Amino acid sequence: MSNCPCGSGQTLETCCGPLIREGKPATSAVALMRSRYTAHVLGEYQYLNTSMYAPERSEDSIEDIKEWSSKLEWKGLDILSTSGGNENDTEGEVEFVAHYALSGVPQQLHEHSTFRKEGERWLYVDGKVRGHETYRREAPKVGRNEPCPCGSGKKFKKCCG
């Protein structure tokens, strides 16, 4: 018996294993999130596909999931926060950080995921990846050798640059 990769402290056989290998429904959005992380670690790509909400499922094929996930060395999962997603809820949100290495370089996936319950089954709907916001300039970038936008007639690098 080994510890579950999801970091719950339980064994794989008592935690995520039954969900992934026996089709047992997750009792909460967090349990589904943990099982999906474990499926990445174990290479259970079919489970990752079938645990997605049906309209979203067609966007990511099993081969697409495998191509991305199999390149990574999964290192750990941190659940940061949850909202809803309990046994009697129909929707839930989970914010997590999945730690991994790509070509030996440590990385992390920080995501805010949404889940929906259909019947007795929790399903992954989608997620918004958290990270650095893209910087957008208000005006076009001025090159070093272009005229300075201040109107001095000098090159930008000799004036305001």
Side-chain angles (χ1 to χ4, degrees):
M1 288 208 224
S2 61
N3 281 344
C4 191
C6 78
S8 67
Q10 300 178 39
T11 64
L12 178 61
E13 292 77 19
T14 60
C15 189
C16 296
L19 281 68
I20 297 168
R21 296 186 173 142
E22 300 167 21
K24 181 180 173 186
T27 57
S28 67
V30 172
L32 182 63
M33 180 62 247
R34 288 185 176 282
S35 70
R36 287 178 56 80
Y37 172 82
T38 298
H40 278 288
V41 173
L42 301 176
E44 296 284 350
Y45 307 114
Q46 179 68 41
Y47 177 78
L48 290 164
N49 185 266
T50 59
S51 62
M52 290 179 81
Y53 182 60
E56 309 300 323
R57 195 175 299 153
S58 61
E59 291 183 20
D60 293 322
S61 72
I62 295 170
E63 284 304 312
D64 291 339
I65 297 168
K66 180 179 180 180
E67 183 180 341
W68 176 75
S69 182
S70 65
K71 294 177 184 174
L72 309 178
E73 181 185 350
W74 296 97
K75 301 287 190 178
L77 176 68
D78 296 323
I79 303 295
L80 304 180
S81 67
T82 62
S83 174
N86 296 312
E87 194 171 343
N88 296 322
D89 294 322
T90 57
E91 294 182 348
E93 297 176 359
V94 178
E95 183 179 3
F96 70 91
V97 175
H99 303 275
Y100 63 93
L102 177 60
S103 301
V105 179
Q107 314 229 1
Q108 63 183 19
L109 170 65
H110 184 174
E111 185 175 302
H112 188 105
S113 299
T114 56
F115 297 85
R116 181 172 292 148
K117 190 174 183 182
E118 287 189 344
E120 296 299 312
R121 253 186 212 292
W122 279 102
L123 298 167
Y124 170 79
V125 177
D126 65 10
K128 293 185 179 171
V129 175
R130 304 279 186 191
H132 301 290
E133 295 296 319
T134 303
Y135 174 75
R136 299 199 187 273
R137 297 179 187 279
E138 296 294 320
K141 183 177 178 182
V142 179
R144 291 176 30 91
N145 290 317
E146 293 181 27
C148 190
C150 76
S152 69
K154 296 180 183 178
K155 288 185 177 183
F156 179 66
K157 68 182 178 184
K158 297 279 187 177
C159 189
C160 295

